[in-house]
Amino acid sequence: MARYFNGKEVELLAPAGTFEIFKEVIHANCDAVYFGGPSLNMRMMRKGYNFSRPEMIEAIKLAHGLDKKVYVTVNNLLNEGEIEEARNYLRFLEQAGPDAIIVQDFAILALIQEMALKLPVHSSVMMNVHNREMIEALGKMGVTRVVTSREMDLMTTRYLRETTGMELEYFIHGDMCSVHGANCYFSSLVFGMSSNRGKCLKPCRWDYRVKKDGYVYPSEYPLAVKDMFMYEHIPELIHGGVTSFKIEGRMRDTEFVLMLVNAYGNAIDRYIDDPVGFERGRDTKLLYDNRKRDLSTGYAFGRPGLSYINKRYEGTGKFYSTGKVFSTPTEERKLGDKRLSEVAARLAEASAVRIRAGRPADKQMELSVHVNSVAQAQAALEGGADHIYLSGDVFEPDRPFTKQDIAQLAAIKGKAKLYLGLPRMMTELHFEMYDGLLSGERLPIDGILVTNLGAIHKFASKGYPLVGDINLNIFNHLSAEMYSRLGVERFTASLELPLHDFAKLLENAAVPLEAVVHGSPALMYMEHDLYENAEVFEPIAEENNQYVDNQVLVLMTDKGENPVYRDVYGRCHLTLAKELCLLPVIQELQEAGLSICRIEGSTYRPEQLKSIVSVYKTAIKKPETAAELFAGLTPVYAGYTLGALQFDGGAASQADAAEEACEGNREQERVQV
């Protein structure tokens, strides 16, 4: 089965969570179905869902007998312990014969190349593909279709389709997220449950208050977005270059999915048959009356602003698929002596593994600092930093680094190295701007901090060394090596790595590895402008921020305050309430093979940053002083945390974390209306 409009293929892609649902949906008015197998996919939370291997084989045969397609989600990030499992699973999938697999981790692409498998690959929405350079790079890797970023508008999809020829898949209905794909680490650092590994406990659905300038604003659920609803915009999707119309809902029940598939399928057929006489709203009331949350067109026609925020059923604290409580506001875990001992012991094991393998740490660890301003950069240099990263997402009220700023810092940096950072999300305009900057007279920098595959593809030939930033989400050595072959010389480990997985990465990494050891890194990076709440609503109370200046917006619950910084492009960065601090285990990190430890310094005053950098520099030179230095360190914010290293990793500990998130809060559940 295939649909065409003026020679353009139009595919309606339906979800199926179980084989029983699939057997119903495959006979409905869709062209293809996607589902997950028994492992390595982003929907592993609901017991009894996903397909067994025999069910997958039968489903593929059934779909092909109906001239329909099947796509299998292999869209988790892989830890080191899952690589062999992935090899085995990919061999099975090649034999089973789906029409494509949907992939997030570059390790899967590496394994397909290594094993010379003939498996068509689609890039997952979790790759956050958002520019032409990314698409061209993925095309060279063998990717045949891209699931676009959720924040992409239909003018951009049309441009990308016309300039790259790549098939584009676009979410047209269902559950959305307020954070850019693969750029939310909140669930990992608070619960040890990775949103990028299908375990998100939805802190975006908590009841927050917005606070700014000494006032509290009545924004109950400022991160909770509405469901996507593009039913009335079939023409815009087709003419926007979208090939595959994707319905979210692998955790939905049969009746709900069938309703969506048949309504959208009927609308597509009606438009193809009679485009001028097309009735846009024929089944709008049906879909509206059966909605879970309220509905929105998301970013399809530009930034939706506060109209994107949902209140319907928010505060129930339940997954719609299971009815179970997902989580309630929870304090970030405090750094404690017992956990520090456990972290130190596991890192010592990693060191021993490297020594047995003939790969001991061969030089003293160095110190990098990520800064927001010239004043911070000068302070970090005075404190002894070895590497300075000039942010590509400068927080207001500071402004982007100029050529004059770069020249000024280059003149005083001495033996330290200076890097130009790039924005996490890069539009075509960003590429034009940075290409102009990097194509002229050579800048006095020592490298570029790259944030996305497109930037690597575009700037690897400019002659500057490339360093991979946090949001490349390096979870395993295969993805690091894949990026290395593209020209990246050093990598920052994912913030989400729990202790066991972080240690295994150190044991296996054959390329220089960096990790964030101090600061308040961004847990959420979003296009959604939270500051609009303080510009639109009238305040309901007066209250000062506890730890940051009143001009900084915070999201507040009874468990703490998370500062939110807005950058010069209008994007928001929600940070930890506490400070990440790995100072007490600095020696163990160095002996385990960490090449560079990094301080996220963008939120500190220059004098604070200089002091922190000096302390870490001393600890690196004299590891025996780390405990004494830590005892004398005073937190700037709400205390210290070990972040994801508070958690061990693995299925058992993740299940325990999830249970802990819910325990004690069940009496707060409210029945859905």
Side-chain angles (χ1 to χ4, degrees):
M1 178 178 175
R3 295 178 168 97
Y4 291 90
F5 181 86
N6 285 350
K8 300 176 184 176
E9 184 178 0
V10 181
E11 175 187 271
L12 181 60
L13 178 56
T18 69
F19 185 49
E20 294 305 312
I21 295 173
F22 174 87
K23 287 187 289 188
E24 297 288 333
V25 172
I26 197 65
H27 290 286
N29 196 6
C30 62
D31 307 288
V33 177
Y34 67 103
F35 56 73
S39 63
L40 307 182
N41 82 79
M42 289 280 292
R43 291 289 184 269
M44 302 300 296
M45 291 282 276
R46 187 173 183 182
K47 188 176 181 180
Y49 268 56
N50 293 307
F51 289 45
S52 67
R53 289 191 179 190
E55 288 173 339
M56 294 171 74
I57 293 171
E58 189 173 347
I60 292 167
K61 288 180 179 178
L62 176 57
H64 289 172
L66 296 170
D67 197 23
K68 296 187 178 185
K69 295 180 179 180
V70 164
Y71 309 128
V72 176
T73 57
V74 192
N75 55 348
N76 254 356
L77 290 178
L78 306 184
N79 62 35
E80 292 290 334
E82 292 167 335
I83 290 174
E84 283 306 313
E85 178 185 357
R87 282 195 176 95
N88 177 277
Y89 189 40
L90 290 172
R91 290 191 192 98
F92 160 76
L93 287 172
E94 184 184 43
Q95 295 173 351
D99 296 278
I101 60 173
I102 304 171
V103 169
Q104 174 184 188
D105 198 323
F106 283 95
I108 297 294
L109 295 175
L111 289 172
I112 289 172
Q113 291 180 8
E114 172 196 310
M115 297 188 290
L117 301 177
K118 294 179 180 178
L119 270 173
V121 175
H122 296 171
S123 75
S124 167
V125 69
M126 300 304 290
M127 276 195 182
N128 202 25
V129 177
H130 59 275
N131 57 60
R132 186 183 68 191
E133 294 291 338
M134 293 185 79
I135 290 176
E136 290 179 351
L138 288 168
K140 292 176 181 177
M141 295 178 180
V143 172
T144 59
R145 178 186 290 180
V146 161
V147 185
T148 68
S149 160
R150 287 181 292 247
E151 292 73 22
M152 189 175 290
D153 62 75
L154 294 180
M155 290 291 288
T156 302
T157 60
R158 183 167 186 164
Y159 166 78
L160 293 175
R161 175 65 173 169
E162 290 175 351
T163 56
T164 68
M166 178 69 76
E167 286 188 7
L168 302 181
E169 188 169 300
Y170 196 87
F171 277 101
I172 62 166
H173 197 102
D175 192 5
M176 291 289 108
C177 180
S178 56
V179 183
H180 279 293
N183 279 272
C184 183
Y185 315 125
F186 206 151
S187 185
S188 280
L189 273 67
V190 175
F191 298 114
M193 302 286 282
S194 168
S195 59
N196 296 318
R197 285 170 51 80
K199 300 287 186 178
C200 185
L201 291 183
K202 297 183 178 290
C204 56
R205 301 285 171 184
W206 290 349
D207 184 357
Y208 296 94
R209 287 296 180 271
V210 167
K211 190 165 57 165
K212 186 180 185 295
D213 297 324
Y215 296 103
V216 180
Y217 294 88
S219 305
E220 293 174 300
Y221 306 101
L223 296 171
V225 298
K226 295 176 179 176
D227 281 0
M228 191 66 165
F229 175 74
M230 290 295 290
Y231 174 76
E232 297 179 346
H233 300 285
I234 301 300
E236 288 80 7
L237 288 162
I238 292 174
H239 300 291
V242 175
T243 296
S244 183
F245 294 29
K246 186 170 193 171
I247 297 173
E248 182 276 334
R250 283 199 284 137
M251 296 293 101
R252 304 296 191 184
D253 59 40
T254 307
E255 291 72 22
F256 187 76
V257 174
L258 286 174
M259 177 193 68
L260 295 178
V261 169
N262 288 325
Y264 275 94
N266 176 264
I268 293 169
D269 289 338
R270 287 189 289 107
Y271 181 72
I272 291 173
D273 180 62
D274 185 3
V276 175
F278 175 60
E279 181 186 351
R280 290 177 180 261
R282 180 175 295 183
D283 281 331
T284 294
K285 186 177 186 303
L286 171 69
L287 298 177
Y288 183 82
D289 288 346
N290 287 279
R291 71 197 187 282
K292 303 300 183 181
R293 300 185 179 96
D294 278 329
L295 305 173
S296 168
T297 56
Y299 286 83
F301 304 104
R303 280 191 180 187
L306 294 180
S307 67
Y308 199 26
I309 298 305
N310 180 65
K311 292 187 179 180
R312 175 182 166 86
Y313 289 160
E314 299 299 348
T316 59
K318 294 181 179 180
F319 288 109
Y320 291 116
S321 55
T322 65
K324 294 181 179 179
V325 174
F326 46 78
S327 67
T328 57
T330 303
E331 184 180 359
E332 296 161 11
R333 291 194 180 187
K334 297 176 182 178
L335 184 155
D337 291 339
K338 180 175 182 294
R339 186 58 185 171
L340 274 176
S341 298
E342 294 167 350
V343 172
R346 182 62 186 89
L347 291 173
E349 291 176 12
S351 175
V353 170
R354 290 180 63 92
I355 290 171
R356 288 195 298 270
R359 295 186 295 109
D362 56 0
K363 64 176 183 178
Q364 188 175 75
M365 187 165 60
E366 295 179 336
L367 179 64
S368 69
V369 185
H370 186 248
V371 300
N372 198 64
S373 67
V374 170
Q376 287 178 343
Q378 291 172 330
L381 288 169
E382 291 169 5
D386 301 296
H387 305 267
I388 301 292
Y389 300 136
L390 307 180
S391 177
D393 295 303
V394 173
F395 298 160
E396 295 175 335
D398 291 315
R399 304 306 301 163
F401 291 92
T402 65
K403 290 174 72 173
Q404 183 178 349
D405 294 335
I406 294 170
Q408 176 187 342
L409 293 170
I412 64 170
K413 71 184 181 69
K415 293 182 180 180
K417 294 184 177 181
L418 188 65
Y419 302 81
L420 178 67
L422 302 178
R424 286 198 185 190
M425 291 285 289
M426 295 186 68
T427 64
E428 304 311 312
L429 178 59
H430 287 135
F431 276 101
E432 293 288 342
M433 293 163 59
Y434 279 93
D435 191 38
L437 179 64
L438 295 167
S439 296
E441 181 181 350
R442 187 171 179 85
L443 296 175
I445 58 175
D446 299 284
I448 303 172
L449 184 67
V450 290
T451 53
N452 62 83
L453 176 64
I456 298 167
H457 182 253
K458 180 70 174 179
F459 300 125
S461 62
K462 297 295 184 182
Y464 297 95
L466 304 182
V467 176
D469 204 358
I470 300 166
N471 63 307
L472 294 186
N473 284 345
I474 301 300
F475 231 83
N476 58 71
H477 75 281
L478 287 181
S479 60
E481 290 167 6
M482 189 84 167
Y483 278 118
S484 180
R485 290 192 288 274
L486 297 174
V488 183
E489 297 184 2
R490 185 171 74 242
F491 303 89
T492 312
S494 171
L495 277 175
E496 291 199 296
L497 286 162
L499 177 59
H500 176 74
D501 296 340
F502 179 61
K504 293 296 289 185
L505 179 59
L506 287 170
E507 291 170 8
N508 288 281
V511 295
L513 198 65
E514 181 170 345
V516 177
V517 299
H518 199 97
S520 296
L523 302 184
M524 290 183 170
Y525 169 70
M526 66 196 84
E527 206 74 20
H528 177 58
D529 186 4
L530 287 162
Y531 278 68
E532 192 177 352
N533 288 280
E535 297 162 359
V536 171
F537 297 120
E538 292 295 324
I540 56 174
E542 295 185 11
E543 184 179 334
N544 291 322
N545 291 344
Q546 292 187 40
Y547 302 103
V548 297
D549 191 279
N550 275 346
Q551 70 177 354
V552 177
L553 182 146
V554 301
L555 292 190
M556 175 179 62
T557 70
D558 61 342
K559 302 298 183 182
E561 295 185 0
N562 289 94
V564 179
Y565 297 87
R566 184 165 61 183
D567 68 29
V568 294
Y569 302 113
R571 294 160 178 163
C572 283
H573 305 242
L574 182 147
T575 63
L576 280 165
K578 295 183 171 65
E579 290 167 83
L580 187 68
C581 181
L582 305 186
L583 178 62
V585 292
I586 207 74
Q587 181 173 1
E588 288 82 359
L589 286 167
Q590 181 165 313
E591 291 173 351
L594 190 68
S595 297
I596 295 179
C597 61
R598 174 166 157 182
I599 295 171
E600 281 292 313
S602 293
T603 63
Y604 293 114
R605 294 196 301 273
E607 64 273 18
Q608 293 169 336
L609 183 58
K610 179 181 177 181
S611 175
I612 294 168
V613 171
S614 298
V615 166
Y616 272 86
K617 190 66 176 179
T618 301
I620 290 170
K621 289 181 177 179
K622 300 177 179 179
E624 68 277 6
T625 66
E628 180 183 350
L629 290 167
F630 176 65
L633 202 61
T634 302
V636 175
Y637 303 123
Y640 291 130
T641 180
L642 292 170
L645 297 189
Q646 299 276 9
F647 307 96
D648 293 321
S653 62
Q654 287 194 339
D656 291 343
E659 183 65 20
E660 181 179 322
C662 300
E663 193 63 42
N665 295 313
R666 290 190 170 91
E667 70 279 3
Q668 299 178 23
E669 295 179 26
R670 289 181 288 181
V671 178
Q672 294 183 19
V673 178

